[in-house]
Amino acid sequence: MALEYNNNFTSHNSLVHVGKGFAYRPTPPVAILVWSHSAVNRRKSISIWFPLRRSVLRASSRFESRGCSSSISTCQKVIWNREMESSSTNNLITTNHLRHVESMATMPSGAGKIPHLNAIILGEALASEENDLIFPSDDFSRQAHVPSPQKYLEMYKRSIEDPAGFWSDIASDFFWKQKWGQQVYFENLDVNKGDIRIEWFKGGITNICYNCLDRNVEAGLGDRIALYWEGNEPCLDGSLTYSQLLQKVCQLANYLKDIGVKKGDAVVVYLPMLMELPITMLACARIGALHSVVFAGFSAESVAQRIVDCKPKVVITCNAVKRGSKVIHLKDIVDAALIESARSGVCVEVCLTYINESALKRGSTKWEEGRDIWWQDVIPKYPTTCAVEWVDAEDPLFLLYTSGSTGKPKGVLHTTGGYMVYTATTFKYAFDYKPSDIYWCTADCGWITGHSYVTYGPLLNGTTVVIYEGAPNYPDPGRCWDIVDKYKVTIFYTAPTLVRSLMRDGDEYVKRYLRKSLRVLGSVGEPINPSAWRWFYNVVGDSRCPISDTWWQTETGGFMMTPLPGAWPQKPGSATFPFFGVQAVIVDEKGVEIEGECSGYLCIKNSWPGAFRTLYGDHERYETTYFKPFSGYYFSGDGCRRDEDGYHWLTGRVDDVINVSGHRIGTAEVESALVSHPQCAEAAVVGVEHEVKGQGIYAFVTLVEGVPYSEELRKSLILIVRKQIGAFAAPDRIHWAPGLPKTRSGKIMRRILRKIASKQLDELGDTSTLADPNVVDQLIALADK
Ligand code: WTA
C-alpha cells in the first residue's frame, strides 16, 4: 500500500480516507493513522497507532513543498488486524462498570465523529489548536508502569471486580505490625440502609510515618535526599536525607510526647513551606496525634475558629516568613488567634515557634513567657530515635478544614491505612514515578495537595521531593524554571492558575532555562483550560512531557480521575478516566446515571481506600452534604461532561463554592464576613471568570438604609473579608446593590447575579418570577459604579 503526502489520502484495504491528515476504518477502528507535520524540522510523519497493542508504527519523510508526494514503504505493514478485533476488544467489554472505558478498547472510537481529528505524538511536534489528541511516544510508554490502555483496562477491571484483592495486594507492600482482618473493607454509601460508613484494612496495625521513613531507611534509602528545600531568596537552600529526616521527626515527636500530646490529640500547625512543616506532620503521625494544618494565608479569626473546633494542646508556628519581598508575621497572627480562641473558652498551653531567621530575627518577635517556646531551643536536645505509636488503619491521621456551602468550614477527617495505600499508589501511577525522579509540587502543605502529594504519597514511594518557600515569580517569573534546572526536577506538579500567570509573563522567562530534566507535568485544583494546557505542554514541557491533569478533592484524599501518562492519548483540558478502584458516574438531577456522551453531576458509586470517613464532630453534615443529594452515591459537588470517546471534562462546582486560584472558598463564608460589617445590610457572592485565578469573587452588597456608596467603604468591606478569612478570599469586585433579585419566597436568584456579573445581559432568562423585577435594571445600571 502506498500513501501519499497530500491532503487527500487514498483509501486502501481497510483504511479509508477521511480528510486532512487522518485515515481510519469505520466500525470498529482499532488502528488509526495520524499524520503530523513539524514546522521545526520540516518533516511530516505518519503514525499508525494500535490502541490495544499500544504500538505506533511511524514513518516520516522530508518534504520540500506542499503537495509533494512520496511513497512510504513501511506503511505497507499496516494491516487490519482481525485477531485484535475479535479477541481482546470484545473480551474487555463485559460489565456495566467498564462502561466509561468501553470506547477506550477501540480507542479512539469517537474518531469517526470528530470531523477534523488531528493528533500528534509526544516529542514530535507542537500541540496546536487543532490537535485533539496527544499520543504517548513509544519511548515513554515502553518504560511506563501502565504502558497501554489494555493494561489499564485489565487493572481497572480487577480493581472493580475484586477491590479487596486488588488493594490488599498493593497494601502488602507496606509495613503492617499486624495484618488487617478478614474483611478488607466495609462500605455503606446509602443513607437508606443506615449510617454512612467506610472502612479499609480495619484491624490492620501500622504507622504512616514508619512507612514513609523507617521503612525506606531500612530498605537502604537512608542516604537518599528526602527533601530539598529552596528558600524564598535564591541563595538559601537546604536538604535532608531520609535518615536525617527521620531523626528530625523523632526529635519533635519526643518533644510532643514530653509535653503530653497523646494518640488521638489534635495539633494545630500554622507554618509556611519550611522543612519543619512536613517534619511536624510526620512527627504527629508517628505518635498517633492528628495534625490540623492551617494554610499560612488564613487570618487570625480563621485560625481561631479551627483551634476552637479541635482544641489542641499545642500550636506550632514560626515567627515570620518572606514571600517575595513581603514579610508576613505569622506569630502575630497566631497570637491574635490565641486571644480569640481563649475568649471562646479554648486555651492553648504551648505555642512552639520556629525561628525563621531569614525573615525575622528572634529578638524582634513578640513573646509570651510561659506559653511560647522557641523550637531551636528545645527540639535539638531530644533523642533522635523515637518509638512508633502503632495505630489501627482506621485511626484518624489528620483533619483538614475546607470550605462548603455554609459559612462554617468542614473538618475533613482522614484515617491512616487506606489513605496511606491510596496516596502512594495514585502518586506512583499518575506521575509514572521512578526511583530516579526528582519531584516538585508547588502546592503548600496547608492544602490537601501538600498533604497527599508533597508529603505522604511521595515519601511513601521513597521520592526526592523539592519544596519551595517563596513566591513563584520572585525575583522574576523565571524562578520556577531556575528551580527545575537547579534540582534537575523530572516531575513538576502545579495549578492552572500558576500556569496562566506565567504564560502571561511570556515565553522568554521559560526559555531562558533548559528544563531538560522534565519528563512529566501535572495540573490540579481546577479545570485547566486548553490554551493553558497547550502552553504548559509546548513551552514548559517542550512538547515532550505528558500532562497529568488530576481531578480530586480534599475529601477524596487522592486522585480520582487522572491520565496515566504512558497509557493513552490525552486531550488538552480533560482529566481523562477514573483511577483504579473508582467507579465514577454522571447522574442527572434525579440521580439517574446517564450513559455515553452526556453532562451532569459527577458522583462516585463505591468507596475507595483514600476516602474521608467523616466531618470532624459532625457526621450528620457528612451524610447530608455528600450522600443525601443522590442516594447510594458520593456526590462530588462538581459538574462533568463525558465526550464521545468516554473522556471526562470537569466543568466546575455546581454548589455554592468558588474556586479561586485552586483554593476553595464558600460564597457563604465571604457573605458572612461582609454582613458582619456594620454598614452592610446584605450580601450575595458569585464566582466570575478570571483570566489568571480561574474564578474571581464578585460581591453584590446592599448597604444599610441611608449609607452612601464610597470608595472608602468599598475598601473597608474588602478589608473585613481579608481579616476574617484571609487575603486570598478578598472580593475582586464590589457591586452596589440597592436590592437583590429574590423570589417571592425570599430566595436570592444567583443565576441572575452570575449573568449580571459576567455581563451576559442577553442571557438573564425569565425574571418575571422575581418579587421585584425592577431590581435587575437597577443592578445593571450600577454595574460600573
Ligand atoms: C476542583 C484540590 C477540574 C474541583 C485537590 C474540586 C478540579 C475542587 C481539578 C476540590 C481538576 C480539583 N480539574 N477541577 N484537575 N482538581 N478541581 O478540595 O472543583 O481544594 O471539587 O482539592 O477543585 O478542591 P480541593
Side-chain angles (χ1 to χ4, degrees):
M1 177 180 72
L3 290 175
E4 289 197 322
Y5 271 142
N6 57 33
N7 287 348
N8 292 309
F9 277 138
T10 47
S11 96
H12 253 276
N13 296 340
S14 325
L15 292 166
V16 182
H17 158 247
V18 287
K20 189 180 173 190
F22 177 61
Y24 79 116
R25 177 190 162 120
T27 57
V30 293
I32 65 164
L33 187 66
V34 174
W35 84 331
S36 64
H37 150 197
S38 162
V40 182
N41 57 13
R42 293 179 60 76
R43 281 174 101 83
K44 284 185 176 182
S45 69
I46 290 186
S47 302
I48 298 98
W49 194 68
F50 293 90
L52 292 176
R53 292 208 166 151
R54 229 245 51 80
S55 63
V56 178
L57 181 71
R58 196 172 321 149
S60 57
S61 172
R62 195 146 174 92
F63 72 98
E64 296 307 330
S65 64
R66 204 179 134 87
C68 158
S69 63
S70 94
S71 252
I72 299 172
S73 59
T74 42
C75 281
Q76 285 162 359
K77 290 180 195 154
V78 179
I79 46 163
W80 181 257
N81 193 326
R82 292 197 184 279
E83 180 201 338
M84 265 163 48
E85 186 184 351
S86 59
S87 61
S88 28
T89 308
N90 297 336
N91 290 345
L92 288 163
I93 312 309
T94 46
T95 49
N96 209 26
H97 58 255
L98 286 173
R99 207 186 304 115
H100 74 276
V101 283
E102 279 178 14
S103 50
M104 281 304 291
T106 54
M107 212 7 248
S109 63
K113 296 178 210 143
I114 302 171
H116 298 292
L117 179 71
N118 269 309
I120 58 163
I121 291 170
L122 212 61
E124 294 248 309
L126 293 178
S128 74
E129 291 290 328
E130 287 166 16
N131 297 139
D132 293 297
L133 289 170
I134 318 286
F135 287 76
S137 64
D138 267 355
D139 288 349
F140 193 96
S141 290
R142 208 174 292 121
Q143 58 81 57
H145 293 302
V146 185
S148 63
Q150 189 175 22
K151 179 73 182 164
Y152 163 79
L153 282 167
E154 250 169 53
M155 292 176 72
Y156 183 80
K157 191 165 188 279
R158 175 161 185 243
S159 74
I160 300 302
E161 291 178 351
D162 176 21
F166 180 87
W167 288 112
S168 295
D169 284 356
I170 294 177
S172 306
D173 289 342
F174 296 91
F175 180 83
W176 299 82
K177 188 87 180 152
Q178 182 185 305
K179 207 180 162 203
W180 50 92
Q182 279 286 313
Q183 192 176 18
V184 176
Y185 72 102
F186 173 88
E187 67 182 26
N188 175 36
L189 270 58
D190 190 344
V191 279
N192 302 315
K193 294 186 183 149
D195 292 347
I196 301 297
R197 186 151 63 97
I198 297 171
E199 287 168 355
W200 280 85
F201 310 114
K202 199 171 167 66
I205 305 292
T206 188
N207 182 291
I208 197 169
C209 172
Y210 184 90
N211 274 288
C212 285
L213 304 179
D214 310 54
R215 184 178 60 104
N216 284 325
V217 171
E218 280 158 28
L221 303 183
D223 293 333
R224 178 182 287 180
I225 300 289
L227 296 176
Y228 277 122
W229 175 78
E230 171 79 2
N232 181 63
E233 302 304 325
C235 52
L236 272 184
D237 55 25
S239 68
L240 289 174
T241 63
Y242 270 86
S243 296
Q244 290 166 336
L245 178 59
L246 174 58
Q247 290 178 5
K248 296 253 181 212
V249 166
C250 285
Q251 286 182 315
L252 180 62
N254 281 321
Y255 166 78
L256 291 174
K257 280 210 285 198
D258 205 22
I259 61 165
V261 178
K262 293 186 298 298
K263 181 181 169 196
D265 289 347
V267 173
V268 166
V269 187
Y270 190 69
L271 280 169
M273 286 302 276
L274 299 171
M275 287 196 277
E276 282 61 31
L277 180 44
I279 288 172
T280 303
M281 292 160 74
L282 290 161
C284 291
R286 191 168 192 86
I287 62 169
L290 285 74
H291 51 75
S292 170
V293 183
V294 183
F295 170 58
F298 273 110
S299 67
E301 290 181 34
S302 295
V303 180
Q305 196 177 24
R306 285 148 177 78
I307 291 174
V308 171
D309 209 37
C310 71
K311 302 174 188 56
K313 180 181 273 289
V314 51
V315 172
I316 303 183
T317 187
C318 79
N319 56 350
V321 66
K322 221 173 147 197
R323 272 183 70 83
S325 47
K326 210 166 137 204
V327 176
I328 305 157
H329 294 245
L330 298 181
K331 173 71 164 46
D332 290 356
I333 296 171
V334 171
D335 285 349
L338 292 176
I339 293 171
E340 183 78 22
S341 61
R343 269 197 216 124
S344 307
V346 177
C347 290
V348 174
E349 291 166 30
V350 181
C351 178
L352 182 68
T353 310
Y354 185 82
I355 314 162
N356 194 11
E357 277 280 338
S358 62
L360 184 70
K361 297 281 171 243
R362 181 179 173 132
S364 318
T365 308
K366 289 188 207 123
W367 207 245
E368 189 173 311
E369 281 308 328
R371 183 197 68 188
D372 299 348
I373 306 279
W374 286 120
W375 176 303
Q376 283 92 331
D377 284 355
V378 292
I379 307 301
K381 294 183 185 146
Y382 280 85
T384 54
T385 57
C386 171
V388 166
E389 178 79 35
W390 298 106
V391 300
D392 191 281
E394 279 304 329
D395 279 335
L397 174 63
F398 67 83
L399 269 178
L400 185 60
Y401 287 83
T402 188
S403 294
S405 46
T406 72
K408 190 173 181 280
K410 304 177 281 197
V412 168
L413 185 129
H414 282 282
T415 55
T416 305
Y419 177 85
M420 170 172 85
V421 172
Y422 199 69
T423 51
T425 311
T426 44
F427 175 80
K428 170 179 161 184
Y429 287 106
F431 296 129
D432 192 46
Y433 170 74
K434 302 287 156 44
S436 52
D437 279 316
I438 310 282
Y439 167 78
W440 179 26
C441 166
T442 61
D444 190 290
C445 286
W447 306 107
I448 189 68
T449 308
H451 284 59
S452 303
Y453 300 109
V454 172
T455 310
Y456 294 113
L459 295 178
L460 285 162
N461 280 283
T463 310
T464 296
V465 180
V466 176
I467 61 175
Y468 173 46
E469 179 190 32
N473 53 2
Y474 178 79
D476 68 37
R479 185 67 188 276
C480 287
W481 323 120
D482 180 38
I483 296 175
V484 164
D485 281 357
K486 176 171 174 183
Y487 298 100
K488 307 262 178 302
V489 171
T490 60
I491 306 172
F492 177 70
Y493 185 35
T494 192
T497 182
L498 180 63
V499 175
R500 286 191 296 266
S501 115
L502 297 176
M503 181 175 159
R504 212 170 55 163
D505 290 323
D507 299 5
E508 184 236 330
Y509 285 106
V510 188
K511 294 195 165 149
R512 236 182 242 174
Y513 300 90
L514 290 172
R515 294 159 285 109
K516 285 266 179 284
S517 52
L518 288 174
R519 67 177 204 97
V520 177
L521 303 174
S523 167
V524 62
E526 53 170 313
I528 179 163
N529 46 310
S531 62
W533 195 102
R534 290 190 184 95
W535 184 82
F536 200 24
Y537 176 83
N538 287 333
V539 180
V540 174
D542 281 332
S543 312
R544 86 188 128 76
C545 309
I547 299 176
S548 287
D549 174 8
T550 60
W551 173 78
W552 61 297
Q553 308 175 298
T554 305
E555 293 87 343
T556 69
F559 305 151
M560 299 298 279
M561 195 104 58
T562 174
L564 297 182
W568 50 58
Q570 294 188 273
K571 295 191 182 188
S574 166
T576 69
F577 297 94
F579 190 71
F580 305 130
V582 175
Q583 294 188 56
V585 294
I586 298 178
V587 303
D588 64 15
E589 59 284 355
K590 294 198 188 78
V592 177
E593 283 182 38
I594 341 178
E595 310 274 328
E597 199 180 338
C598 62
S599 284
Y601 304 102
L602 182 59
C603 289
I604 313 294
K605 199 173 170 162
N606 62 319
S607 78
W608 61 101
F612 68 142
R613 305 303 200 243
T614 190
L615 291 179
Y616 187 66
D618 201 349
H619 198 69
E620 201 183 321
R621 189 176 179 195
Y622 172 73
E623 297 190 338
T624 310
T625 312
Y626 302 101
F627 299 94
K628 279 197 183 148
F630 303 110
S631 286
Y633 299 95
Y634 164 75
F635 172 44
S636 66
D638 277 322
C640 184
R641 179 172 74 80
R642 188 166 45 216
D643 72 13
E644 61 272 46
D645 298 323
Y647 279 68
H648 293 84
W649 302 77
L650 276 301
T651 51
R653 302 288 306 190
V654 293
D655 53 8
D656 293 327
V657 172
I658 315 181
N659 197 326
V660 181
S661 301
H663 303 328
R664 267 165 74 167
I665 299 166
T667 52
E669 279 175 79
V670 182
E671 287 163 7
S672 95
L674 287 168
V675 296
S676 71
H677 191 289
Q679 290 172 319
C680 174
E682 201 172 13
V685 168
V686 294
V688 280
E689 213 175 292
H690 188 285
E691 202 192 331
V692 172
K693 297 197 256 182
Q695 278 191 300
I697 300 179
Y698 196 109
F700 291 87
V701 172
T702 307
L703 296 177
V704 166
E705 200 55 45
V707 175
Y709 307 138
S710 72
E711 207 39 46
E712 203 182 322
L713 183 53
R714 198 193 297 268
K715 283 188 189 139
S716 81
L717 284 161
I718 293 173
L719 197 69
I720 204 159
V721 180
R722 293 173 76 100
K723 194 168 157 289
Q724 287 195 16
I725 307 175
F728 63 91
D732 297 280
R733 265 298 305 274
I734 301 276
H735 187 136
W736 302 122
L740 292 168
K742 291 182 187 168
T743 58
R744 286 187 195 102
S745 60
K747 195 171 171 295
I748 296 173
M749 292 195 60
R750 285 165 197 280
R751 175 180 59 77
I752 294 177
L753 292 178
R754 273 187 217 109
K755 296 291 175 200
I756 296 175
S758 54
K759 296 201 163 28
Q760 294 169 299
L761 301 182
D762 48 347
E763 291 173 31
L764 287 175
D766 181 16
T767 54
S768 63
T769 54
L770 291 175
D772 177 8
N774 294 328
V775 160
V776 175
D777 293 332
Q778 287 173 351
L779 287 176
I780 294 171
L782 284 165
D784 297 314
K785 296 277 171 342

